[in-house]
Amino acid sequence: MKYTLLLSIFISWNFCYAQHQFELKNASKNYDVKINVENCDDSECKGKATVELFKKSTSKNLQTLVSDNLNFYLDKDQKPTANIIQIYNEQSPLIFDDFNFDGTEDVAMRNGNVSGHSGPSYDVYVFNSAKKQFVLNDELTALAHGNLGMFNTDSERKRLITYSQSGCCWHLTTEYTVLPQRGLFKVYELEEDARGGEKVIVTRKEFIDDKWITNTKIYPINEYYKEN
């Protein structure tokens, strides 16, 4: 019994010791961040992790979020980045932005690699002013799991933008707005289909005045991609 208890304490201590901790002071306008992640080498961290959020004004721990696999790369200073979203390239472990355009800062946290082409996937939390907590949003999380990594935010137009791909030659850009009490609403699609080899079929769909307007054009492939 005594041996089992000592072994349990040793394992727990060893797990805590193996944790790698990082502090981010400039990732967010409102919060300081501490990341505790299970495994790190010289360039990459991954594994189970906690993300602690502290209010800048009080240094009070507001909330702790948990990720089963907070996979990220380290910069030249051996620290994680924040708020970088690059398709087929770097996507930071934490993205702070106003994802539902309600005027409060939200957060997306990397959790595994289950988006398109085994890319980074995110759990997306929106700030609930009544609860004074971040709450997981299923719709936004699905958006950040079902496309090419994290979506982009266009704050001026109040649009969320996703990207999808099939093979080398088919791409889809989709834009959503967020409606109060209704959630995500798709308003725009750009499909680029170059699977024929010589031509690109470009189809634009836009939701205007309560109906979809569709426009399709065909371009020579060299001409289209030279311009774009």
Side-chain angles (χ1 to χ4, degrees), residues 164-176:
S164 301
Q165 176 191 4
S166 178
C168 68
C169 307
W170 184 91
H171 298 85
L172 182 68
T173 302
T174 308
E175 297 186 3
Y176 300 83

Side-chain angles (χ1 to χ4, degrees), residues 71-167:
N71 187 199
F72 59 90
Y73 292 96
L74 300 172
D75 65 14
K76 59 182 178 61
D77 298 318
Q78 293 291 288
K79 291 185 177 181
T81 63
N83 304 320
I84 295 176
I85 304 172
Q86 298 173 337
I87 300 178
Y88 311 118
N89 202 334
E90 182 178 3
Q91 298 200 16
S92 299
L94 294 173
I95 310 294
F96 287 90
D97 208 335
D98 181 6
F99 301 129
N100 58 353
F101 310 112
D102 68 349
T104 59
E105 192 174 38
D106 307 312
V107 61
M109 177 180 62
R110 179 87 175 262
N111 193 358
N113 301 286
V114 298
S115 71
H117 298 275
S118 299
S121 47
Y122 289 80
D123 294 338
V124 182
Y125 295 81
V126 298
F127 189 75
N128 186 303
S129 298
K131 296 181 179 179
K132 299 189 184 304
Q133 292 274 294
F134 289 98
V135 177
L136 184 69
N137 184 285
D138 292 335
E139 268 195 313
L140 296 177
T141 296
L143 213 60
H145 278 67
N147 296 285
L148 292 175
M150 184 61 186
F151 51 79
N152 286 108
T153 305
D154 186 333
S155 57
E156 289 188 6
R157 297 190 302 134
K158 295 187 176 181
R159 299 279 180 91
L160 302 179
I161 305 168
T162 66
Y163 304 94
S164 301
Q165 176 191 4
S166 178

Side-chain angles (χ1 to χ4, degrees), residues 4-223:
T4 303
L5 178 60
L6 289 173
L7 181 61
S8 177
I9 292 171
F10 174 77
I11 291 172
S12 298
W13 178 84
N14 194 52
F15 176 77
C16 292
Y17 183 79
Q19 292 282 299
H20 300 263
Q21 186 175 95
F22 303 91
E23 294 189 16
L24 299 178
K25 298 289 187 180
N26 300 314
S28 161
K29 295 179 293 184
N30 300 306
Y31 310 100
D32 292 330
V33 179
K34 283 185 181 178
I35 297 175
N36 297 280
V37 62
E38 191 174 11
N39 301 303
C40 287
D41 58 27
D42 291 340
S43 62
E44 185 180 8
C45 295
K46 58 186 175 181
K48 293 184 180 298
T50 60
V51 174
E52 299 175 80
L53 303 175
F54 300 84
K55 287 189 69 69
K56 287 184 181 291
S57 57
T58 65
S59 297
K60 178 182 177 181
N61 186 326
L62 173 74
Q63 193 170 351
T64 299
L65 306 177
V66 178
S67 172
D68 288 332
N69 185 12
L70 192 68
N71 187 199
F72 59 90
Y73 292 96
L74 300 172
D75 65 14
K76 59 182 178 61
D77 298 318
Q78 293 291 288
K79 291 185 177 181
T81 63
N83 304 320
I84 295 176
I85 304 172
Q86 298 173 337
I87 300 178
Y88 311 118
N89 202 334
E90 182 178 3
Q91 298 200 16
S92 299
L94 294 173
I95 310 294
F96 287 90
D97 208 335
D98 181 6
F99 301 129
N100 58 353
F101 310 112
D102 68 349
T104 59
E105 192 174 38
D106 307 312
V107 61
M109 177 180 62
R110 179 87 175 262
N111 193 358
N113 301 286
V114 298
S115 71
H117 298 275
S118 299
S121 47
Y122 289 80
D123 294 338
V124 182
Y125 295 81
V126 298
F127 189 75
N128 186 303
S129 298
K131 296 181 179 179
K132 299 189 184 304
Q133 292 274 294
F134 289 98
V135 177
L136 184 69
N137 184 285
D138 292 335
E139 268 195 313
L140 296 177
T141 296
L143 213 60
H145 278 67
N147 296 285
L148 292 175
M150 184 61 186
F151 51 79
N152 286 108
T153 305
D154 186 333
S155 57
E156 289 188 6
R157 297 190 302 134
K158 295 187 176 181
R159 299 279 180 91
L160 302 179
I161 305 168
T162 66
Y163 304 94
S164 301
Q165 176 191 4
S166 178
C168 68
C169 307
W170 184 91
H171 298 85
L172 182 68
T173 302
T174 308
E175 297 186 3
Y176 300 83
T177 189
V178 182
L179 299 178
Q181 312 303 322
R182 290 183 56 186
L184 289 176
F185 187 78
K186 183 166 65 175
V187 292
Y188 177 82
E189 277 189 354
L190 171 64
E191 180 186 24
E192 298 164 296
D193 186 352
R195 289 172 293 187
E198 299 293 329
K199 305 287 185 179
V200 184
I201 303 170
V202 180
T203 303
R204 289 180 172 85
K205 299 179 181 179
E206 193 163 6
F207 193 76
I208 301 173
D209 296 329
D210 292 328
K211 61 182 179 181
W212 282 98
I213 306 298
T214 301
N215 181 274
T216 300
K217 291 185 178 181
I218 300 176
Y219 301 88
I221 190 166
N222 293 333
E223 177 185 317

